[in-house]
Protein backbone atom coordinates (compact mmCIF):
# COMPACT_ATOMS: atom_id res chain seq x y z
CA UNK A 1 0.00 0.00 0.00
CA UNK A 2 2.92 2.25 -0.77
CA UNK A 3 1.53 5.32 -2.50
CA UNK A 4 2.12 5.23 -6.24
CA UNK A 5 4.13 1.99 -6.00
CA UNK A 6 2.13 -1.24 -6.34
CA UNK A 7 5.17 -3.57 -6.54
CA UNK A 8 4.85 -5.09 -3.06
CA UNK A 9 1.05 -5.32 -3.34
CA UNK A 10 1.47 -7.13 -6.67
CA UNK A 11 4.05 -9.43 -5.13
CA UNK A 12 1.90 -10.47 -2.17
CA UNK A 13 -1.18 -10.95 -4.37
CA UNK A 14 1.02 -13.11 -6.61
CA UNK A 15 1.71 -15.43 -3.66
CA UNK A 16 -1.99 -16.30 -3.44
CA UNK A 17 -2.97 -19.40 -5.39
CA UNK A 18 -6.52 -18.28 -6.07
CA UNK A 19 -7.21 -16.46 -9.31
CA UNK A 20 -9.25 -13.86 -7.48
CA UNK A 21 -7.78 -13.94 -3.98
CA UNK A 22 -9.82 -12.99 -0.95
CA UNK A 23 -7.98 -10.22 0.87
CA UNK A 24 -9.02 -8.80 4.23
CA UNK A 25 -7.60 -5.60 5.70
CA UNK A 26 -7.14 -5.13 9.46
CA UNK A 27 -6.63 -1.40 10.14
CA UNK A 28 -6.69 -1.51 13.97
CA UNK A 29 -3.21 0.03 14.41
CA UNK A 30 -4.64 3.25 12.95
CA UNK A 31 -7.84 3.08 15.02
CA UNK A 32 -9.65 1.83 11.88
CA UNK A 33 -9.05 5.19 10.19
CA UNK A 34 -11.43 5.74 7.26
CA UNK A 35 -8.81 7.28 4.95
CA UNK A 36 -6.61 4.20 5.43
CA UNK A 37 -9.47 1.83 4.61
CA UNK A 38 -10.15 3.82 1.44
CA UNK A 39 -6.46 3.55 0.51
CA UNK A 40 -6.61 -0.22 0.96
CA UNK A 41 -9.61 -0.59 -1.37
CA UNK A 42 -7.78 1.56 -3.92
CA UNK A 43 -4.61 -0.55 -3.72
CA UNK A 44 -6.48 -3.87 -3.69
CA UNK A 45 -9.04 -3.03 -6.34
CA UNK A 46 -12.02 -5.28 -7.10
CA UNK A 47 -10.59 -5.97 -10.56
CA UNK A 48 -7.89 -8.23 -9.14
CA UNK A 49 -9.11 -9.49 -5.77
CA UNK A 50 -12.09 -9.76 -3.48
CA UNK A 51 -11.28 -7.17 -0.84
CA UNK A 52 -12.89 -6.67 2.57
CA UNK A 53 -11.97 -5.13 5.87
CA UNK A 54 -12.79 -5.65 9.53
CA UNK A 55 -13.33 -2.62 11.70
CA UNK A 56 -13.27 -3.39 15.41
CA UNK A 57 -14.20 0.17 16.33
CA UNK A 58 -17.37 0.15 14.21
CA UNK A 59 -18.87 -3.28 14.54
CA UNK A 60 -22.10 -2.31 12.81
CA UNK A 61 -20.10 -2.63 9.57
CA UNK A 62 -18.47 -5.79 8.31
CA UNK A 63 -18.95 -9.50 8.89
CA UNK A 64 -20.73 -10.93 11.95
CA UNK A 65 -18.52 -13.94 12.37
CA UNK A 66 -14.99 -12.56 12.39
CA UNK A 67 -13.30 -15.93 12.86
CA UNK A 68 -15.05 -17.53 9.93
CA UNK A 69 -14.38 -14.50 7.76
CA UNK A 70 -10.66 -14.42 8.55
CA UNK A 71 -10.23 -18.16 8.10
CA UNK A 72 -11.83 -17.95 4.65
CA UNK A 73 -9.25 -15.45 3.34
CA UNK A 74 -6.27 -16.05 1.08
CA UNK A 75 -4.46 -13.02 2.46
CA UNK A 76 -4.81 -10.93 5.63
CA UNK A 77 -3.22 -7.50 5.39
CA UNK A 78 -2.47 -5.56 8.60
CA UNK A 79 -2.02 -1.80 8.34
CA UNK A 80 0.47 0.43 10.14
CA UNK A 81 0.12 2.71 13.14
CA UNK A 82 0.48 1.99 16.84
CA UNK A 83 1.53 -1.61 17.44
CA UNK A 84 0.78 -1.23 21.17
CA UNK A 85 -2.84 -0.26 20.46
CA UNK A 86 -3.09 -2.92 17.74
CA UNK A 87 -2.10 -5.76 20.04
CA UNK A 88 -4.30 -4.43 22.85
CA UNK A 89 -7.42 -4.33 20.67
CA UNK A 90 -6.70 -7.73 19.10
CA UNK A 91 -6.29 -9.37 22.48
CA UNK A 92 -9.58 -7.88 23.71
CA UNK A 93 -11.42 -9.36 20.73
CA UNK A 94 -9.53 -12.68 20.58
CA UNK A 95 -8.12 -11.80 17.14
CA UNK A 96 -4.62 -12.91 18.19
CA UNK A 97 -5.76 -16.54 18.51
CA UNK A 98 -7.72 -16.39 15.23
CA UNK A 99 -4.69 -15.08 13.34
CA UNK A 100 -2.53 -17.92 14.62
CA UNK A 101 -5.21 -20.35 13.51
CA UNK A 102 -5.37 -18.67 10.09
CA UNK A 103 -1.58 -18.82 9.73
CA UNK A 104 -1.54 -22.51 10.65
CA UNK A 105 -4.32 -23.09 8.11
CA UNK A 106 -2.19 -21.53 5.36
CA UNK A 107 -3.68 -18.05 5.09
CA UNK A 108 -0.93 -15.62 4.04
CA UNK A 109 -0.35 -12.95 6.69
CA UNK A 110 1.17 -9.66 5.70
CA UNK A 111 1.52 -6.12 6.89
CA UNK A 112 3.63 -3.04 7.02
CA UNK A 113 5.24 -1.20 9.92
CA UNK A 114 3.12 -2.11 13.00
CA UNK A 115 1.58 -4.75 10.70
CA UNK A 116 5.04 -6.32 10.38
CA UNK A 117 6.19 -6.03 14.00
CA UNK A 118 3.08 -7.77 15.33
CA UNK A 119 3.98 -11.24 13.94
CA UNK A 120 7.31 -11.52 15.74
CA UNK A 121 8.21 -12.67 19.26
CA UNK A 122 9.75 -9.29 19.99
CA UNK A 123 9.79 -5.94 18.27
CA UNK A 124 11.21 -2.46 18.40
CA UNK A 125 8.52 0.19 18.23
CA UNK A 126 9.40 3.80 17.60
CA UNK A 127 5.82 4.96 17.10
CA UNK A 128 5.80 7.30 20.05
CA UNK A 129 8.80 8.79 21.80
CA UNK A 130 12.05 6.85 22.28
CA UNK A 131 12.14 3.36 20.67
CA UNK A 132 10.72 0.72 22.99
CA UNK A 133 10.93 -3.04 23.19
CA UNK A 134 7.71 -5.05 23.16
CA UNK A 135 6.33 -8.55 22.69
CA UNK A 136 4.39 -9.43 19.57
CA UNK A 137 2.18 -12.40 18.73
CA UNK A 138 5.25 -14.64 18.45
CA UNK A 139 4.32 -16.54 15.26
CA UNK A 140 7.89 -15.86 14.11
CA UNK A 141 10.47 -16.64 16.83
CA UNK A 142 12.62 -13.61 16.03
CA UNK A 143 12.77 -9.91 16.74
CA UNK A 144 11.84 -7.27 14.17
CA UNK A 145 12.58 -3.64 13.47
CA UNK A 146 10.99 -1.62 10.65
CA UNK A 147 11.79 1.75 9.06
CA UNK A 148 15.38 0.60 9.51
CA UNK A 149 17.79 3.32 8.56
CA UNK A 150 21.54 3.48 9.23
CA UNK A 151 21.07 6.88 10.83
CA UNK A 152 17.89 6.23 12.79
CA UNK A 153 17.65 5.96 16.56
CA UNK A 154 15.64 2.76 15.99
CA UNK A 155 18.76 1.01 14.71
CA UNK A 156 20.78 2.16 17.68
CA UNK A 157 18.00 1.09 20.06
CA UNK A 158 17.63 -2.28 18.29
CA UNK A 159 21.34 -3.01 18.71
CA UNK A 160 21.14 -2.03 22.37
CA UNK A 161 18.11 -4.29 22.94
CA UNK A 162 19.96 -7.17 21.27
CA UNK A 163 22.90 -6.68 23.60
CA UNK A 164 20.44 -6.62 26.50
CA UNK A 165 19.06 -10.02 25.56
CA UNK A 166 16.47 -9.47 22.84
CA UNK A 167 16.31 -12.49 20.54
CA UNK A 168 18.07 -12.24 17.14
CA UNK A 169 15.95 -11.10 14.26
CA UNK A 170 15.37 -9.15 11.10
CA UNK A 171 15.17 -5.53 10.12
CA UNK A 172 13.72 -3.96 6.99
CA UNK A 173 14.28 -0.59 5.41
CA UNK A 174 11.28 1.24 3.96
CA UNK A 175 10.34 -0.50 0.72
CA UNK A 176 11.88 -3.85 1.71
CA UNK A 177 9.74 -6.87 2.65
CA UNK A 178 10.75 -9.99 4.57
CA UNK A 179 9.00 -13.06 3.16
CA UNK A 180 8.79 -15.98 5.58
CA UNK A 181 7.59 -19.48 4.76
CA UNK A 182 6.80 -21.22 8.01
CA UNK A 183 9.31 -19.81 10.47
CA UNK A 184 12.06 -19.54 7.83
CA UNK A 185 12.99 -16.42 5.93
CA UNK A 186 12.45 -17.33 2.30
CA UNK A 187 13.57 -14.15 0.57
CA UNK A 188 13.70 -10.40 0.79
CA UNK A 189 12.01 -8.36 -1.91
CA UNK A 190 11.83 -4.62 -2.40
CA UNK A 191 9.77 -1.99 -4.15
CA UNK A 192 12.72 0.41 -4.26
CA UNK A 193 16.08 -0.50 -5.84
CA UNK A 194 18.13 0.54 -2.82
CA UNK A 195 15.93 -0.90 -0.05
CA UNK A 196 17.42 -3.80 1.93
CA UNK A 197 16.61 -6.28 4.65
CA UNK A 198 19.01 -7.22 7.43
CA UNK A 199 19.65 -10.19 9.68
CA UNK A 200 20.81 -9.33 13.19
CA UNK A 201 22.58 -11.65 15.56
CA UNK A 202 24.24 -11.07 18.86
CA UNK A 203 27.15 -12.79 20.52
CA UNK A 204 27.85 -11.44 23.96
CA UNK A 205 28.12 -7.68 23.54
CA UNK A 206 28.77 -7.93 19.83
CA UNK A 207 25.93 -7.27 17.41
CA UNK A 208 26.33 -8.69 13.91
CA UNK A 209 24.34 -7.01 11.23
CA UNK A 210 24.20 -8.79 7.90
CA UNK A 211 22.69 -7.29 4.79
CA UNK A 212 20.50 -9.78 2.99
CA UNK A 213 20.46 -10.09 -0.78
CA UNK A 214 17.30 -8.30 -1.78
CA UNK A 215 15.35 -8.73 -4.98
CA UNK A 216 14.15 -5.48 -6.48
CA UNK A 217 10.70 -6.20 -7.87
CA UNK A 218 10.87 -3.45 -10.46
CA UNK A 219 13.14 -5.22 -12.97
CA UNK A 220 12.49 -8.51 -14.63
CA UNK A 221 14.88 -11.38 -14.97
CA UNK A 222 17.10 -10.62 -12.01
CA UNK A 223 15.39 -12.86 -9.47
CA UNK A 224 18.04 -14.89 -7.62
CA UNK A 225 17.19 -18.50 -6.85
CA UNK A 226 17.98 -18.19 -3.19
CA UNK A 227 18.62 -15.39 -0.80
CA UNK A 228 22.36 -15.12 -0.15
CA UNK A 229 24.20 -12.80 2.15
CA UNK A 230 25.38 -9.93 0.04
CA UNK A 231 27.56 -8.13 2.49
CA UNK A 232 28.60 -8.58 6.04
CA UNK A 233 29.08 -5.77 8.44
CA UNK A 234 29.78 -5.95 12.11
CA UNK A 235 28.55 -3.35 14.48
CA UNK A 236 30.42 -3.02 17.74
CA UNK A 237 28.92 -1.60 20.88
CA UNK A 238 29.31 2.14 21.12
CA UNK A 239 32.03 3.43 23.45
CA UNK B 1 -10.63 17.22 47.25
CA UNK B 2 -13.97 16.55 45.53
CA UNK B 3 -13.75 13.62 43.17
CA UNK B 4 -16.16 14.38 40.36
CA UNK B 5 -17.35 12.32 37.45
CA UNK B 6 -20.10 13.26 35.01
CA UNK B 7 -21.51 10.24 33.22
CA UNK B 8 -23.79 10.94 30.24
CA UNK B 9 -26.12 8.55 28.46
CA UNK B 10 -25.42 10.00 25.03
CA UNK B 11 -25.01 13.33 23.23
CA UNK B 12 -23.21 15.00 20.32
CA UNK B 13 -21.25 18.20 19.96
CA UNK B 14 -23.72 19.87 17.60
CA UNK B 15 -25.20 23.35 18.03
CA UNK B 16 -28.62 21.92 18.88
CA UNK B 17 -29.98 23.17 22.24
CA UNK B 18 -29.54 19.92 24.29
CA UNK B 19 -25.96 19.51 23.01
CA UNK B 20 -25.18 23.12 23.88
CA UNK B 21 -26.67 22.54 27.34
CA UNK B 22 -24.39 19.53 27.92
CA UNK B 23 -21.31 21.45 26.75
CA UNK B 24 -22.23 24.40 28.94
CA UNK B 25 -22.48 22.08 31.94
CA UNK B 26 -19.09 20.49 31.12
CA UNK B 27 -17.59 23.96 30.86
CA UNK B 28 -19.10 24.94 34.19
CA UNK B 29 -17.66 21.89 35.95
CA UNK B 30 -14.26 22.62 34.42
CA UNK B 31 -14.48 26.27 35.43
CA UNK B 32 -15.33 25.32 39.02
CA UNK B 33 -12.00 23.57 39.21
CA UNK B 34 -9.79 25.58 36.90
CA UNK B 35 -11.06 29.17 37.02
CA UNK B 36 -11.63 31.45 34.03
CA UNK B 37 -9.87 29.47 31.30
CA UNK B 38 -10.01 25.83 32.35
CA UNK B 39 -8.21 23.13 30.40
CA UNK B 40 -10.50 20.57 28.80
CA UNK B 41 -9.05 17.53 27.08
CA UNK B 42 -10.88 14.93 24.99
CA UNK B 43 -9.75 11.29 24.88
CA UNK B 44 -11.40 9.99 21.69
CA UNK B 45 -9.85 6.51 22.04
CA UNK B 46 -13.14 4.57 21.93
CA UNK B 47 -13.87 5.90 18.44
CA UNK B 48 -10.39 5.06 17.16
CA UNK B 49 -9.54 8.78 17.44
CA UNK B 50 -11.78 9.75 14.50
CA UNK B 51 -11.13 13.24 13.17
CA UNK B 52 -14.92 13.84 13.00
CA UNK B 53 -15.27 13.56 16.76
CA UNK B 54 -12.15 15.61 17.45
CA UNK B 55 -13.29 18.36 15.08
CA UNK B 56 -16.79 18.52 16.55
CA UNK B 57 -15.26 18.74 20.05
CA UNK B 58 -13.13 21.73 18.97
CA UNK B 59 -16.21 23.13 17.23
CA UNK B 60 -18.09 23.07 20.53
CA UNK B 61 -15.30 24.35 22.79
CA UNK B 62 -12.99 26.27 20.42
CA UNK B 63 -14.71 29.63 20.91
CA UNK B 64 -15.61 29.18 24.56
CA UNK B 65 -13.57 30.45 27.51
CA UNK B 66 -11.37 27.35 27.90
CA UNK B 67 -8.28 25.66 26.50
CA UNK B 68 -9.42 22.56 24.61
CA UNK B 69 -6.98 19.83 23.59
CA UNK B 70 -7.07 16.20 22.51
CA UNK B 71 -5.00 13.13 23.30
CA UNK B 72 -5.13 10.85 20.25
CA UNK B 73 -3.28 7.67 21.14
CA UNK B 74 -3.42 6.51 17.52
CA UNK B 75 -1.78 9.75 16.36
CA UNK B 76 1.02 9.94 18.91
CA UNK B 77 3.49 8.98 16.17
CA UNK B 78 2.87 12.22 14.32
CA UNK B 79 2.24 14.31 17.39
CA UNK B 80 4.26 13.11 20.38
CA UNK B 81 3.27 14.39 23.81
CA UNK B 82 3.99 13.62 27.43
CA UNK B 83 0.72 11.79 28.13
CA UNK B 84 0.84 11.74 31.89
CA UNK B 85 1.92 15.38 32.27
CA UNK B 86 -0.66 16.55 29.76
CA UNK B 87 -3.56 14.65 31.34
CA UNK B 88 -2.67 15.63 34.90
CA UNK B 89 -2.55 19.31 33.88
CA UNK B 90 -6.24 19.29 32.86
CA UNK B 91 -9.28 20.55 34.74
CA UNK B 92 -11.64 18.22 32.91
CA UNK B 93 -10.95 15.04 30.93
CA UNK B 94 -13.75 14.07 28.56
CA UNK B 95 -13.93 10.55 27.15
CA UNK B 96 -15.76 10.12 23.86
CA UNK B 97 -18.02 7.25 22.84
CA UNK B 98 -17.38 4.23 20.65
CA UNK B 99 -16.21 0.75 21.51
CA UNK B 100 -15.96 0.21 25.27
CA UNK B 101 -13.94 -3.00 24.80
CA UNK B 102 -11.39 -1.26 22.56
CA UNK B 103 -11.28 1.76 24.84
CA UNK B 104 -10.26 -0.29 27.85
CA UNK B 105 -7.89 -2.50 25.84
CA UNK B 106 -6.03 0.46 24.33
CA UNK B 107 -5.91 2.26 27.67
CA UNK B 108 -4.47 -0.84 29.28
CA UNK B 109 -1.84 -1.14 26.54
CA UNK B 110 -0.82 2.49 27.07
CA UNK B 111 -1.23 2.39 30.86
CA UNK B 112 -3.77 5.24 30.86
CA UNK B 113 -6.06 3.84 33.58
CA UNK B 114 -3.68 4.60 36.43
CA UNK B 115 -3.24 8.18 35.18
CA UNK B 116 -7.02 8.72 35.05
CA UNK B 117 -7.50 7.27 38.49
CA UNK B 118 -4.83 9.64 39.83
CA UNK B 119 -6.41 12.56 37.96
CA UNK B 120 -9.73 11.77 39.63
CA UNK B 121 -8.16 11.65 43.09
CA UNK B 122 -6.52 15.01 42.36
CA UNK B 123 -9.91 16.56 41.68
CA UNK B 124 -9.69 16.69 37.90
CA UNK B 125 -13.26 16.28 36.65
CA UNK B 126 -13.77 13.11 34.61
CA UNK B 127 -16.62 13.01 32.12
CA UNK B 128 -17.85 11.14 29.11
CA UNK B 129 -20.77 9.80 27.13
CA UNK B 130 -21.72 6.29 26.07
CA UNK B 131 -18.58 4.07 26.29
CA UNK B 132 -16.91 7.13 27.83
CA UNK B 133 -19.50 7.04 30.64
CA UNK B 134 -19.66 3.28 31.26
CA UNK B 135 -15.87 2.98 31.47
CA UNK B 136 -15.80 4.52 34.97
CA UNK B 137 -18.06 1.81 36.46
CA UNK B 138 -17.38 -1.79 37.36
CA UNK B 139 -19.35 -2.88 34.32
CA UNK B 140 -21.42 -1.68 31.39
CA UNK B 141 -23.46 -3.03 28.50
CA UNK B 142 -21.47 -2.65 25.31
CA UNK B 143 -22.23 -3.32 21.67
CA UNK B 144 -18.49 -3.50 20.87
CA UNK B 145 -18.97 -6.98 19.43
CA UNK B 146 -22.30 -6.30 17.72
CA UNK B 147 -25.00 -7.48 20.10
CA UNK B 148 -25.25 -5.97 23.61
CA UNK B 149 -23.02 -7.74 26.13
CA UNK B 150 -21.64 -7.10 29.58
CA UNK B 151 -18.12 -5.63 29.71
CA UNK B 152 -15.85 -4.66 32.60
CA UNK B 153 -14.91 -1.04 33.23
CA UNK B 154 -12.26 0.68 35.36
CA UNK B 155 -14.34 0.41 38.53
CA UNK B 156 -13.79 3.93 39.93
CA UNK B 157 -17.56 3.96 40.49
CA UNK B 158 -19.43 1.06 42.09
CA UNK B 159 -22.03 -0.87 40.19
CA UNK B 160 -22.87 -0.68 36.53
CA UNK B 161 -24.25 1.65 33.89
CA UNK B 162 -26.30 1.16 30.75
CA UNK B 163 -26.32 4.08 28.28
CA UNK B 164 -28.73 5.04 25.42
CA UNK B 165 -31.26 3.48 27.76
CA UNK B 166 -34.64 4.03 26.15
CA UNK B 167 -33.02 4.97 22.86
CA UNK B 168 -31.77 1.42 22.27
CA UNK B 169 -34.42 -0.96 23.69
CA UNK B 170 -32.29 -4.08 23.04
CA UNK B 171 -29.48 -2.63 25.15
CA UNK B 172 -31.88 -1.88 28.01
CA UNK B 173 -33.37 -5.39 27.79
CA UNK B 174 -29.89 -6.96 27.86
CA UNK B 175 -29.03 -4.84 30.90
CA UNK B 176 -32.14 -5.78 32.87
CA UNK B 177 -31.51 -9.43 32.08
CA UNK B 178 -27.84 -9.18 33.09
CA UNK B 179 -28.74 -7.48 36.40
CA UNK B 180 -31.27 -10.21 37.03
CA UNK B 181 -28.48 -12.74 36.33
CA UNK B 182 -26.17 -11.18 38.89
CA UNK B 183 -24.40 -8.28 37.15
CA UNK B 184 -23.85 -5.57 39.78
CA UNK B 185 -26.91 -3.27 39.64
CA UNK B 186 -26.57 0.41 38.85
CA UNK B 187 -28.07 2.98 36.53
CA UNK B 188 -29.69 3.47 33.16
CA UNK B 189 -29.22 6.74 31.28
CA UNK B 190 -31.23 7.97 28.31
CA UNK B 191 -29.48 10.14 25.72
CA UNK B 192 -29.14 13.64 27.22
CA UNK B 193 -29.55 12.41 30.79
CA UNK B 194 -26.55 12.31 33.10
CA UNK B 195 -25.34 11.55 36.59
CA UNK B 196 -22.98 13.84 38.45
CA UNK B 197 -20.90 11.94 40.97
CA UNK B 198 -19.24 13.80 43.82
CA UNK B 199 -17.38 11.06 45.60
CA UNK B 200 -18.61 7.52 45.05
CA UNK B 201 -21.98 7.68 46.80
CA UNK B 202 -25.30 9.01 45.64
CA UNK B 203 -25.07 10.86 42.34
CA UNK B 204 -27.37 13.69 41.32
CA UNK B 205 -29.24 13.36 38.04
CA UNK B 206 -29.31 16.02 35.33
CA UNK B 207 -31.10 16.20 32.00
CA UNK B 208 -30.62 18.40 28.96
CA UNK B 209 -33.76 17.28 27.15
CA UNK B 210 -37.34 17.08 28.38
CA UNK B 211 -38.27 13.44 28.81
CA UNK B 212 -34.69 12.18 28.95
CA UNK B 213 -34.28 10.40 32.27
CA UNK B 214 -31.87 8.69 34.61
CA UNK B 215 -32.93 5.43 36.26
CA UNK B 216 -31.75 3.55 39.29
CA UNK B 217 -31.72 -0.16 38.45
CA UNK B 218 -31.81 -2.62 41.33
CA UNK B 219 -32.44 -6.31 41.75
CA UNK B 220 -35.67 -7.13 43.57
CA UNK B 221 -37.49 -10.34 44.34
CA UNK B 222 -39.09 -10.35 40.93
CA UNK B 223 -36.00 -9.52 38.93
CA UNK B 224 -34.45 -6.23 37.89
CA UNK B 225 -36.40 -3.11 38.78
CA UNK B 226 -35.97 0.41 37.51
CA UNK B 227 -37.02 3.65 39.16
CA UNK B 228 -36.64 7.05 37.50
CA UNK B 229 -34.59 9.62 39.43
CA UNK B 230 -35.58 13.25 39.87
CA UNK B 231 -33.33 15.27 37.60
CA UNK B 232 -32.22 18.90 37.41
CA UNK B 233 -32.85 20.46 34.01
CA UNK B 234 -29.80 21.92 32.26
CA UNK B 235 -30.81 24.97 30.20
CA UNK B 236 -29.23 25.59 26.81
CA UNK B 237 -27.18 28.78 26.51
CA UNK B 238 -27.65 31.05 23.51
CA UNK B 239 -25.89 29.65 20.43
CA UNK B 240 -22.45 30.99 19.57
CA UNK B 241 -23.68 33.13 16.68
CA UNK B 242 -26.28 34.74 18.90
CA UNK B 243 -23.72 35.40 21.59
CA UNK B 244 -21.60 37.26 19.04
CA UNK B 245 -24.61 39.28 17.91
CA UNK B 246 -25.39 40.22 21.50
CA UNK B 247 -21.78 41.23 22.10
CA UNK B 248 -21.78 43.34 18.94
CA UNK B 249 -25.07 44.97 19.95
CA UNK B 250 -23.66 45.78 23.38
CA UNK B 251 -20.50 47.27 21.88
CA UNK B 252 -22.55 49.52 19.64
CA UNK B 253 -24.82 50.49 22.54
CA UNK B 254 -21.78 51.42 24.66
CA UNK B 255 -20.26 53.45 21.83
CA UNK B 256 -23.53 55.26 21.31
CA UNK B 257 -23.92 55.92 24.99
CA UNK B 258 -20.39 57.33 25.12
CA UNK B 259 -21.15 59.48 22.13
CA UNK B 260 -24.29 60.66 23.86
CA UNK B 261 -26.63 59.22 21.23
CA UNK B 262 -28.74 57.28 23.66
CA UNK B 263 -29.48 59.42 26.66
Amino acid sequence: MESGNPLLDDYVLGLCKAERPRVCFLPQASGDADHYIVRFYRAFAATRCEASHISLFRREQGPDDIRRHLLSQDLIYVGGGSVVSLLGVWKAHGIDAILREAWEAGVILCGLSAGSLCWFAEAVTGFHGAPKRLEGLGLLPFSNCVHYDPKSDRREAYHRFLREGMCPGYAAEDGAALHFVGEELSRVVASRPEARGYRLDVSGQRVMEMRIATTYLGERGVVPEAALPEALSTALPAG
Amino acid sequence: MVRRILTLGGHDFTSRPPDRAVCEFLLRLATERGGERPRICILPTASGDTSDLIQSFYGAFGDRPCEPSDVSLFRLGRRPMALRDHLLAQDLIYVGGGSMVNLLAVWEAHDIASILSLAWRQGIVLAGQSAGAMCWFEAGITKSSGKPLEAAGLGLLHGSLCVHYNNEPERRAAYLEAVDDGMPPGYGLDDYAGLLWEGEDTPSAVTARRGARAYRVTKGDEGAMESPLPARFLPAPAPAALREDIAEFRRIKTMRRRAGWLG
Side-chain angles (χ1 to χ4, degrees):
Chain A
M1 286 168 67
E2 222 173 327
S3 64
N5 187 341
L7 291 173
L8 287 172
D9 300 339
D10 294 346
Y11 177 78
V12 73
L13 276 180
L15 298 176
C16 301
K17 290 187 188 77
E19 199 172 305
R20 211 176 119 79
R22 292 166 62 88
V23 183
C24 183
F25 183 47
L26 293 177
Q28 280 73 50
S30 70
D32 297 343
D34 287 338
H35 63 89
Y36 204 13
I37 296 169
V38 170
R39 239 173 80 193
F40 163 75
Y41 283 106
R42 236 179 250 145
F44 291 86
T47 46
R48 52 187 192 153
C49 64
E50 197 180 311
S52 64
H53 78 281
I54 287 176
S55 170
L56 293 177
F57 282 87
R58 281 169 287 280
R59 283 301 309 280
E60 61 276 17
Q61 313 169 348
D64 285 338
D65 189 338
I66 292 182
R67 181 176 166 274
R68 201 164 73 188
H69 185 77
L70 287 175
L71 291 175
S72 73
Q73 300 301 307
D74 295 295
L75 172 68
I76 294 171
Y77 194 115
V78 179
S82 163
V83 69
V84 174
S85 299
L86 174 74
L87 293 168
V89 171
W90 277 359
K91 199 172 135 200
H93 289 268
I95 305 292
D96 44 356
I98 300 173
L99 289 172
R100 176 177 281 277
E101 202 181 339
W103 180 59
E104 281 164 359
V107 178
I108 298 168
L109 306 179
C110 135
L112 72 96
S113 194
S116 165
L117 301 177
C118 64
W119 312 116
F120 291 83
E122 290 185 274
V124 180
T125 171
F127 180 69
H128 172 224
K132 291 182 209 52
R133 183 174 167 176
L134 87 151
E135 274 179 36
L137 297 182
L139 303 186
L140 300 171
F142 310 105
S143 56
N144 184 222
C145 182
V146 292
H147 306 301
Y148 203 65
D149 182 306
K151 290 178 289 288
S152 78
D153 54 351
R154 278 178 211 245
R155 178 170 179 267
E156 200 185 306
Y158 190 17
H159 287 207
R160 188 177 74 243
F161 294 148
L162 287 164
R163 287 195 293 270
E164 288 168 3
M166 190 183 227
C167 63
Y170 296 90
E173 292 176 349
D174 286 354
L178 307 163
H179 177 184
F180 289 85
V181 176
E183 292 175 358
E184 298 292 318
L185 182 73
S186 160
R187 64 200 295 215
V188 182
V189 294
S191 59
R192 307 174 193 178
E194 71 288 0
R196 291 287 178 278
Y198 298 84
R199 157 99 208 178
L200 285 102
D201 281 293
V202 65
S203 149
Q205 283 299 295
R206 200 178 148 95
V207 173
M208 282 154 294
E209 182 184 87
M210 187 174 72
R211 256 173 114 190
I212 302 167
T214 302
T215 307
Y216 172 54
L217 297 167
E219 292 168 40
R220 282 177 196 174
V222 289
V223 183
E225 281 180 3
L228 292 167
E230 168 180 276
L232 195 72
S233 78
T234 305
L236 291 166
Chain B
M1 194 66 73
V2 193
R3 291 175 297 179
R4 287 177 139 180
I5 302 184
L6 177 65
T7 54
L8 296 154
H11 75 98
D12 289 311
F13 288 116
T14 72
S15 58
R16 283 159 52 238
D19 286 328
R20 291 204 312 271
V22 167
C23 290
E24 187 67 18
F25 191 49
L26 287 165
L27 184 61
R28 214 187 79 202
L29 293 172
T31 307
E32 282 174 15
R33 182 180 192 270
E36 268 176 35
R37 276 192 79 80
R39 294 172 170 207
I40 299 180
C41 179
I42 186 170
L43 270 172
T45 319
S47 70
D49 296 340
T50 51
S51 44
D52 282 2
L53 174 59
I54 297 168
Q55 276 162 19
S56 65
F57 167 77
Y58 283 108
F61 289 103
D63 61 351
R64 305 307 317 275
C66 65
E67 284 176 34
S69 66
D70 68 282
V71 167
S72 298
L73 297 173
F74 286 96
R75 288 192 180 81
L76 288 177
R78 261 174 293 155
R79 220 187 62 189
M81 56 163 70
L83 281 181
R84 187 188 163 85
D85 293 350
H86 185 82
L87 289 172
L88 292 178
Q90 300 303 311
D91 296 301
L92 185 143
I93 297 170
Y94 176 92
V95 179
S99 164
M100 183 180 173
V101 171
N102 292 359
L103 175 69
L104 288 153
V106 173
W107 277 0
E108 195 193 332
H110 290 270
D111 208 11
I112 301 290
S114 60
I115 303 175
L116 292 174
S117 155
L118 181 61
W120 180 55
R121 291 198 301 275
Q122 290 183 355
I124 296 171
V125 184
L126 304 178
Q129 69 104 12
S130 194
M134 295 190 289
C135 65
W136 311 113
F137 291 80
E138 288 171 60
I141 293 286
T142 177
K143 285 165 83 178
S144 301
S145 306
K147 59 178 188 291
L149 289 171
E150 186 178 337
L154 297 180
L156 299 187
L157 298 172
H158 295 302
S160 61
L161 176 68
C162 179
V163 293
H164 311 305
Y165 202 58
N166 282 301
N167 313 83
E168 295 182 4
E170 77 281 16
R171 197 191 287 257
R172 171 171 166 259
Y175 182 53
L176 294 174
E177 199 178 312
V179 168
D180 193 32
D181 280 351
M183 181 183 183
Y187 298 86
L189 285 173
D190 290 345
D191 287 354
Y192 296 102
L195 291 169
L196 177 63
W197 299 77
E198 300 183 284
E200 290 119 287
D201 297 332
T202 320
S204 54
V206 291
T207 177
R209 190 160 72 186
R210 303 277 173 210
R213 312 189 86 160
Y215 300 83
R216 177 92 179 102
V217 177
T218 50
K219 192 182 174 183
D221 296 335
E222 287 164 40
M225 292 187 352
E226 54 192 21
S227 39
L229 299 170
R232 181 158 53 98
F233 187 72
L234 303 173
L242 205 54
R243 283 198 300 269
E244 272 166 37
D245 288 354
I246 292 168
E248 178 72 9
F249 174 71
R250 284 183 184 150
R251 271 197 296 279
I252 292 168
K253 216 167 115 180
T254 313
M255 278 162 55
R256 284 180 173 175
R257 192 183 295 124
R258 279 189 193 141
W261 295 345
L262 287 176

